Amino acid sequence: MQRLILLESMQKVRYKNFFLTSHQPLSKTKNSQAFGGQIKKSHRKHFLLAQKKIVPGAESAENIIDEGLEVESSSSPIPVAKSKVNWKLRAKGGNFVDFRRITVHGGSGGSGCVSFQRERHLPRGPPNGGNGGHGGNVIFVADKNETTLYSLRTKLAAESGIRGKGKDMHGPNGKDLIVKVPVGTVLTEIDIPKYEFLNNIEITLNKNKRSRRRPKSTVEPREIFDPENPKDYDLFAFGEEESSPEIDSEQTVGQGEIRNIEQLYELYTEEKAGHEKEEMYTFYPRKTSSGQKELMEHLPDEYNVYLHELKTQKPIDFDFNEDGLSLKVAKGGLGGYGNPHFASSTYRSPYLALNGLPGQMRFLELELKTIADVGLVGMPNAGKSTFISSVTNASPKIAPYPFTTLNPYLGTVTLNDSKKVTIADIPGIIKGAHLNKGLGHSFLRHIERSTILGYLVDLSKDEPWNDLETLRYELEMYLPGLTKRPSLVIANKADLSMSSKRNYEAWVKFADLPIIPVSAKNGLNVSKVINTFVYMLDSKQ
Ligand SMILES: Nc1nc2c(ncn2[C@@H]2O[C@H](COP(=O)(O)OP(=O)(O)OP(=O)(O)O)[C@@H](O)[C@H]2O)c(=O)[nH]1
Ligand SMILES: [Mg+2]
């Protein structure tokens, strides 16, 4: 709890920074008003607690904060950046999203047109209705420049095709919707969401407005109190049997009353199936001669193939594990044929055209699982971010409190022979992470796909091997067999105290994994770790 408050107060300080770098310099009182009076003494106190614990010259910081907010901003560990960057800092990783459920909808096809050529001296010309355009598809493409699923909309729909027009004017096709997703996104199709909470709610679907009224009770209320009738003592049981008879479900649906959303859906499709054939056609002017009925018997081949494909389609399960991979996730509906398509030697003036088909609708689950050669696994505050920023081009925030990093960061080390090793800084794992404690699952999913595991342990702690055991236990509980991957222990903060040295000497005697003592902060021994990673990667291939 206290940690949370600490983090919160740090956050507030960040906000202060933001406002202070904005155009008008705010006075102390104005500034606190800007947060609805949120920056109170209590917050400052918590901030100080954090400072006192970690920063040696905390007293001076206290004075500064008490004197005024303007001065405090300069003592803050966060660099004052341009407004755009500041905006990102304010969000504190809020823009990073690695799990989404979305709906995709292909565009509907445009309808075909019923039209005939009409000229001055040609009163009954040939049919010339244009075809409708096809609906656009929804296509997902893996893009290495994308890092989060944040910007994806919950409902994605491609453009619909335009209907055909007279004079053989075909409707244009709807544009495909291309959606960029980060590399490492795993896509799975899910069922139509079930609204189980609605089972307890009675839904009424009445086509007839009149039937919406409550049925009148057929029983006349008894006026006279009958001492021998026990029901007369219970006012609420009065007329109960007659006014609310039990309705069996079949009857309910028949009457237009339904109990839950599934029934509603079934009813809808049943109703639709009845008119399915007719609904696929446009008639003009609403006449169905026997000849037209014959035409309706056979759908065009293209339609049949399309409908068959839709019916036999398997649920999507796709991994965008490489840049540029693409997948069509929702098909656009076919455009309908215009009336010239139905003309034949026997039936020269067809008064019907095909409607466009609706686009495909799919419910998808997207999960972003970072792909890296090495995944750094460690307790909060062990120095993972310090390590990655000392060896790669990544620059995650480093601060002396737990859970500084809330999203994975990817860094790349380019070696002399232009080989590249990608390393992922994964947020801290705590005891019980496999039970989703401390946002465990959202962090653990990023470890799943690392080829090598680098356990980063704080060597200056008492019995640091316990941390390693906790980490391994959590990984194994999350995904059995995960710890069997090639692994290495990076014993960090070896510079910190004599206890680090003692711990290391004791640990190597019984350790079952290679341990490399490093000081990430001072960049000592880190190249040794990278070389070991390269060796492990090479021997795995
Ligand atoms: N003395 C010393 N301090 C270190 C070393 N490595 C990291 N630190 C300090 O340890 C603190 C935490 O470092 P981070 O890199 O933010 O730790 P983290 O593991 O990324 O922490 P979370 O993101 O919260 O999980 C910082 O104050 C670092 O300066 C080291 O080798 N020696
Ligand atoms: Mg970190």
Side-chain angles (χ1 to χ4, degrees):
M1 187 60 205
Q2 198 192 357
R3 276 176 185 169
L4 270 179
I5 296 166
L6 283 177
L7 286 174
E8 204 182 312
S9 56
M10 292 291 195
Q11 183 85 348
K12 292 282 188 268
V13 174
R14 243 178 232 188
Y15 282 125
K16 283 180 216 167
N17 270 341
F18 175 74
F19 278 96
L20 287 166
T21 49
S22 68
H23 302 300
Q24 320 108 333
L26 294 164
S27 71
K28 190 175 170 181
T29 43
K30 261 190 188 172
N31 205 353
S32 52
Q33 273 167 7
F35 304 104
Q38 287 294 301
I39 306 174
K40 290 181 186 154
K41 276 226 158 178
S42 57
H43 278 127
R44 280 188 223 151
K45 209 172 81 191
H46 285 305
F47 177 69
L48 285 178
L49 280 174
Q51 292 284 324
K52 259 186 190 169
K53 261 189 199 166
I54 306 135
V55 184
E59 282 106 28
S60 55
E62 188 170 355
N63 294 337
I64 291 165
I65 287 163
D66 266 1
E67 272 163 34
L69 292 162
E70 284 85 351
V71 191
E72 183 200 308
S73 71
S74 61
S75 69
S76 158
I78 302 148
V80 176
K82 283 178 191 163
S83 60
K84 203 171 176 185
V85 183
N86 248 331
W87 182 83
K88 277 193 174 175
L89 286 175
R90 262 197 313 157
K92 206 191 178 186
N95 287 357
F96 183 82
V97 174
D98 50 10
F99 184 84
R100 287 292 295 274
R101 282 203 179 117
I102 61 167
T103 313
V104 284
H105 210 311
S108 309
S111 306
C113 173
V114 180
S115 158
F116 296 92
Q117 193 184 347
R118 295 284 182 258
E119 303 285 336
R120 199 168 178 193
H121 304 293
L122 193 67
R124 288 171 65 84
N128 69 352
N131 299 340
H134 301 314
N137 305 305
V138 182
I139 299 168
F140 279 15
V141 184
D143 187 334
K144 63 176 187 311
N145 298 323
E146 294 291 318
T147 49
T148 160
L149 302 173
Y150 177 77
S151 51
L152 277 191
R153 273 176 292 145
T154 313
K155 285 176 191 165
L156 294 167
E159 229 177 62
S160 296
I162 308 290
R163 68 184 173 82
K165 290 175 191 168
K167 295 186 186 171
D168 281 322
M169 287 193 280
H170 301 313
N173 295 343
K175 270 186 206 154
D176 286 350
L177 179 70
I178 312 248
V179 183
K180 286 179 189 166
V181 290
V183 177
T185 305
V186 179
L187 196 95
T188 17
E189 189 169 354
I190 49 172
D191 285 343
I192 298 171
K194 288 212 161 89
Y195 303 98
E196 271 158 17
F197 70 97
L198 282 176
N199 288 353
N200 305 326
I201 303 167
E202 198 169 306
I203 307 163
T204 317
L205 182 85
N206 284 327
K207 288 175 221 154
N208 192 342
K209 270 192 180 175
R210 273 189 184 178
S211 59
R212 222 175 261 177
R213 288 184 199 149
R214 283 180 124 201
K216 276 183 191 167
S217 172
T218 48
V219 185
E220 287 294 323
R222 282 166 291 170
E223 297 283 345
I224 306 154
F225 178 72
D226 179 5
E228 275 173 34
N229 186 354
K231 275 199 172 180
D232 271 10
Y233 292 100
D234 185 359
L235 274 175
F236 294 103
F238 184 72
E240 190 185 340
E241 270 175 35
E242 293 83 1
S243 62
S244 60
E246 274 204 13
I247 315 160
D248 71 329
S249 62
E250 254 179 51
Q251 194 192 351
T252 318
V253 173
Q255 286 173 352
E257 286 197 7
I258 39 175
R259 292 260 159 211
N260 58 33
I261 200 81
E262 276 102 43
Q263 270 182 17
L264 175 74
Y265 189 72
E266 270 166 31
L267 186 76
Y268 173 73
T269 44
E270 257 172 42
E271 245 179 42
K272 225 184 154 188
H275 310 287
E276 208 172 64
K277 256 293 152 53
E278 281 185 18
E279 270 192 7
M280 291 181 90
Y281 290 89
T282 304
F283 302 102
Y284 183 81
R286 297 226 167 266
K287 74 175 185 185
T288 33
S289 67
S290 57
Q292 278 182 347
K293 275 194 178 153
E294 250 173 54
L295 287 177
M296 279 167 53
E297 288 298 306
H298 305 288
L299 271 177
D301 286 349
E302 204 188 341
Y303 259 58
N304 283 327
V305 171
Y306 177 84
L307 292 173
H308 178 75
E309 263 179 26
L310 281 193
K311 268 184 195 163
T312 51
Q313 216 167 31
K314 283 181 190 153
I316 307 181
D317 193 0
F318 193 81
D319 188 355
F320 291 92
N321 52 9
E322 264 178 50
D323 183 34
L325 278 185
S326 69
L327 181 76
K328 197 190 283 180
V329 289
K331 279 185 181 183
L334 279 188
Y337 283 119
N339 63 339
H341 182 85
F342 302 97
S344 64
S345 55
T346 50
Y347 197 78
R348 292 165 67 184
S349 300
Y351 278 85
L352 85 171
L354 261 172
N355 280 335
L357 290 176
Q360 190 183 12
M361 191 173 187
R362 282 181 143 172
F363 298 90
L364 304 174
E365 206 170 78
L366 294 150
E367 209 176 346
L368 175 58
K369 295 178 178 180
T370 310
I371 303 173
D373 295 324
V374 182
L376 291 182
V377 191
M379 291 276 179
N381 219 23
K384 300 175 292 296
S385 305
T386 315
F387 180 81
I388 201 173
S389 52
S390 75
V391 292
T392 73
N393 49 354
S395 50
K397 200 185 148 219
I398 297 164
Y401 53 81
F403 293 113
T404 316
T405 314
L406 292 172
N407 329 312
Y409 277 80
L410 269 185
T412 315
V413 194
T414 314
L415 304 166
N416 291 343
D417 47 356
S418 70
K419 250 189 198 170
K420 281 183 179 174
V421 181
T422 47
I423 304 179
D425 171 17
I426 291 150
I429 307 289
I430 54 165
K431 209 173 186 175
H434 73 278
L435 302 170
N436 212 8
K437 273 193 189 163
L439 287 180
H441 284 176
S442 61
F443 297 166
L444 284 164
R445 74 161 65 102
H446 296 286
I447 301 166
E448 258 181 76
R449 311 219 280 185
S450 305
T451 321
I452 294 174
L453 299 179
Y455 295 103
L456 207 136
V457 181
D458 182 350
L459 194 63
S460 63
K461 269 183 163 179
D462 290 342
E463 303 187 348
W465 41 87
N466 288 343
D467 276 3
L468 177 67
E469 282 322 303
T470 314
L471 291 171
R472 283 164 121 186
Y473 174 77
E474 292 302 329
L475 294 199
E476 200 57 36
M477 292 306 286
Y478 173 71
L479 188 72
L482 189 59
T483 51
K484 301 224 164 60
R485 293 194 190 164
S487 312
L488 171 75
V489 178
I490 307 163
N492 193 27
K493 305 196 187 179
D495 62 297
L496 209 57
S497 62
M498 275 311 287
S499 62
S500 301
K501 197 181 176 199
R502 258 179 278 127
N503 281 338
Y504 175 68
E505 281 165 2
W507 197 356
V508 275
K509 284 178 192 155
F510 64 89
D512 55 348
L513 287 178
I515 305 173
I516 304 181
V518 298
S519 169
K521 198 174 179 180
N522 305 313
L524 300 175
N525 245 4
V526 287
S527 55
K528 210 172 181 177
V529 177
I530 299 298
N531 290 338
T532 320
F533 283 152
V534 176
Y535 173 76
M536 286 164 104
L537 281 170
D538 285 346
S539 52
K540 196 152 190 264
Q541 279 163 7

